[in-house]
């Protein structure tokens, strides 16, 4: 497929090999680059990228000013690369998830305005053939793993000869997910310790900003505002019931998402009669993202599939995720007005 990319396309889609080649010709080491004036500007670009990713999961890329001259395009792509380096130094899966979700949303917003050929070309750069009417099962499962609508579940799809049928419209929808999955698969990058220590102040700032974001989103932890499913799991745990793996996962991921630290979560598990500190510590840290495991609490649809949905009050009818229940209940408790998105 012959498609000519313009300079600004390299800034729009910094993950393409052409974009990486564009900045790859320098003879400087990364340490030398970071110590120079261009490095300092690129770090600023990187920090802005990460900050935006913390404030919002996705972004309308069309509102972003895209550079078109060579120097600014290089700085923009360097900012993308450095953001991934800083996040890798922070070694927190939640931060990586946020960054790739933002990058995928940003690129996808640009792609919506591109002509077919260019969209197909960028899609092929992340391994998705937009003209095709099916995907290999393994690729399909990996790509839809973060999508919770019933229609994406494999049992609801036509599978023929090891391929899953996907309509052209759905293939377009999957493009954003495919970018996200590919970028996430590449993280964390292997960054030399010396580089991480040069970026230490930025890593610290991002960790603090993330904590602050969680606190702003959820405030202090209030058990009284837990959704019925999570309350039921916590109660069952206290009563000495052996929770299934899906229950432990849902409870731990939920508590992690609302800002509870591993120590606080382990304290909750202490109430269980079969409490085993080292096993619990391992599980909690695993689910909290330290080892690259999915960390987001399951949606209501997924909770229903696991048989963990209680659905016992009016708020449940208005939300599709236990985290939204928690946010809404906290706002109601404070008698604050709710936004239309709730
Ligand atoms: S509807 Fe959602 S929040 Fe309510 S109990 Fe079911 S899973 Fe939990």
């Amino acid at each position: 497929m012959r498609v000519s990319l313009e300079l600004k396309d390299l800034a729009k889609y910094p993950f393409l090999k052409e974009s990486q080649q564009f900045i790859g010709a320098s003879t400087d080491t990364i340490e030398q680059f970071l110590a120079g004036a261009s490095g300092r500007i690129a770090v600023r670009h990187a920090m802005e990228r990460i900050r935006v990713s913390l404030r919002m999961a996705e972004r309308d890329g069309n509102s972003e000013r895209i550079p078109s001259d060579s120097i600014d395009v290089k700085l923009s792509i360097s900012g993308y690369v450095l953001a991934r380096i800083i996040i890798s130094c922070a070694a927190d899966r939640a931060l990586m998830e946020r960054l790739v979700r933002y990058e995928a949303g940003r690129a996808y917003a640009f792609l919506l305005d591109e002509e077919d050929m260019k969209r197909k070309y960028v899609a092929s750069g992340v391994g998705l053939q937009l003209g095709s009417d099916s995907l290999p099962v393994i690729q399909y499962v990996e790509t839809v793993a973060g999508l919770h609508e019933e229609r994406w579940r494999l049992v609801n799809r036509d599978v023929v000869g090891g391929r899953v049928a996907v309509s052209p419209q759905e293939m377009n929808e999957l493009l954003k997910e495919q970018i996200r999955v590919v970028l996430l698969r590449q993280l964390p990058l292997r960054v030399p310790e010396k580089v991480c220590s040069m970026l230490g102040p930025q890593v610290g700032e991002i960790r603090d900003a993330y904590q602050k974001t969680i606190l702003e989103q959820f405030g202090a932890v209030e058990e009284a505002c837990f959704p019925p499913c999570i309350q039921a799991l916590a109660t069952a745990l206290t009563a000495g019931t052996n929770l299934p793996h899906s229950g432990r996962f849902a409870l731990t991921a939920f508590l992690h998402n609302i800002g509870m630290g591993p120590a606080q979560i382990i304290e909750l598990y202490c109430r269980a009669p079969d409490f085993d500190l080292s096993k619990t510590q391992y599980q909690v840290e695993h689910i909290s993202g330290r080892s690259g495991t999915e960390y987001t609490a399951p949606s209501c649809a997924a909770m229903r599939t696991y048989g963990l949905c209680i659905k016992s009050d009016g708020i449940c009818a208005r939300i599709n995720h236990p985290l939204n229940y928690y946010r809404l209940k906290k706002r109601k408790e404070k008698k604050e007005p709710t936004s239309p998105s709730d």
Side-chain angles (χ1 to χ4, degrees):
M1 191 189 307
R2 289 182 65 83
V3 171
S4 59
L5 294 173
E6 298 167 44
L7 257 183
K8 61 181 185 202
D9 291 328
L10 304 182
K12 285 184 193 170
Y13 313 115
F15 45 83
L16 290 179
K17 65 178 186 311
E18 289 86 347
S19 310
Q20 299 300 309
Q21 283 160 359
F22 185 64
I23 60 162
S26 168
T27 52
D28 283 355
T29 64
I30 179 145
E31 290 94 329
Q32 287 167 330
F33 176 70
L34 286 174
S38 301
R40 284 193 289 277
I41 298 172
V43 166
R44 280 209 296 277
H45 277 271
M47 291 297 281
E48 181 52 21
R49 246 176 151 103
I50 300 171
R51 281 190 208 103
V52 174
S53 78
L54 295 185
R55 286 198 297 270
M56 56 175 81
E58 292 170 16
R59 177 183 187 181
D60 175 7
N62 295 323
S63 63
E64 183 182 325
R65 192 191 69 82
I66 293 301
S68 52
D69 69 274
S70 169
I71 292 175
D72 284 344
V73 167
K74 271 192 180 160
L75 285 171
S76 173
I77 301 171
S78 301
Y80 162 82
V81 174
L82 279 174
R84 287 152 60 82
I85 289 176
I86 292 168
I87 288 294
S88 297
C89 290
D92 185 321
R93 200 68 184 173
L95 291 171
M96 293 174 206
E97 290 265 3
R98 293 253 180 165
L99 183 65
V100 296
R101 199 167 285 281
Y102 159 72
E103 293 291 358
R106 173 186 180 274
Y108 186 69
F110 289 128
L111 283 167
L112 290 176
D113 291 335
E114 302 288 13
E115 49 166 23
D116 262 12
M117 286 298 280
K118 197 176 279 179
R119 189 159 54 241
K120 279 185 181 162
Y121 183 78
V122 175
S124 72
V126 289
L128 195 72
Q129 306 312 319
L130 280 190
S132 170
D133 58 5
S134 64
L135 283 176
V137 171
I138 293 176
Q139 183 182 5
Y140 177 85
V141 169
E142 189 186 20
T143 304
V144 305
L147 300 173
H148 300 298
E149 283 175 70
E150 288 291 306
R151 67 183 167 122
W152 296 114
R153 294 183 61 207
L154 199 53
V155 290
N156 296 327
R157 313 295 305 190
D158 291 331
V159 182
V160 181
R163 296 185 71 89
V164 182
V166 177
S167 71
Q169 165 60 27
E170 288 175 328
M171 199 65 94
N172 268 312
E173 287 180 58
L174 290 183
L175 177 52
K176 180 163 64 174
E177 279 305 296
Q178 179 72 12
I179 298 171
R180 188 183 74 76
V181 165
V182 168
L183 297 189
L184 187 61
R185 202 193 288 146
Q186 297 161 350
L187 293 177
L189 305 174
R190 273 200 219 149
V191 186
E193 256 178 49
K194 193 174 170 203
V195 174
C196 282
S197 92
M198 285 179 86
L199 293 167
Q202 285 78 18
V203 171
E205 188 189 316
I206 289 306
R207 283 201 182 115
D208 290 349
Y210 180 55
Q211 267 312 313
K212 198 165 161 248
T213 305
I214 296 229
L215 281 175
E216 277 168 5
Q217 277 180 0
F218 294 106
V221 173
E222 286 179 31
E223 280 194 46
C225 297
F226 284 2
C229 50
I230 299 296
Q231 270 184 8
L233 288 169
T235 307
L237 192 71
T238 312
T241 310
N242 248 340
L243 294 184
H245 173 74
S246 54
R248 281 181 183 254
F249 171 77
L251 180 61
T252 307
F254 176 88
L255 297 176
H256 170 67
N257 290 162
I258 63 169
M260 256 199 194
Q264 274 177 293
I265 300 175
I266 290 168
E267 209 179 299
L268 185 77
Y269 277 92
C270 280
R271 301 176 193 170
D274 64 342
F275 175 69
D276 174 331
L277 178 59
S278 58
K279 207 166 136 194
T280 307
Q281 203 163 12
Y282 171 78
Q283 285 175 342
V284 168
E285 294 200 342
H286 190 72
I287 294 170
S288 298
R290 296 264 157 94
S291 57
T293 308
E294 173 66 53
Y295 70 94
T296 309
S299 64
C300 294
M303 294 289 275
R304 276 193 286 279
T305 308
Y306 299 146
L308 297 173
C309 173
I310 307 289
K311 201 160 192 168
S312 64
D313 69 22
I315 298 180
C316 285
R318 299 173 56 195
I319 49 90
N320 59 9
H321 201 291
L323 288 168
N324 289 344
Y325 182 108
Y326 182 67
R327 273 196 206 98
L328 192 56
K329 181 101 180 248
K330 282 193 83 170
R331 271 191 224 154
K332 278 172 89 81
E333 297 276 301
K334 286 186 195 155
K335 295 195 170 41
E336 280 180 9
T338 55
S339 72
S341 61
D342 293 323

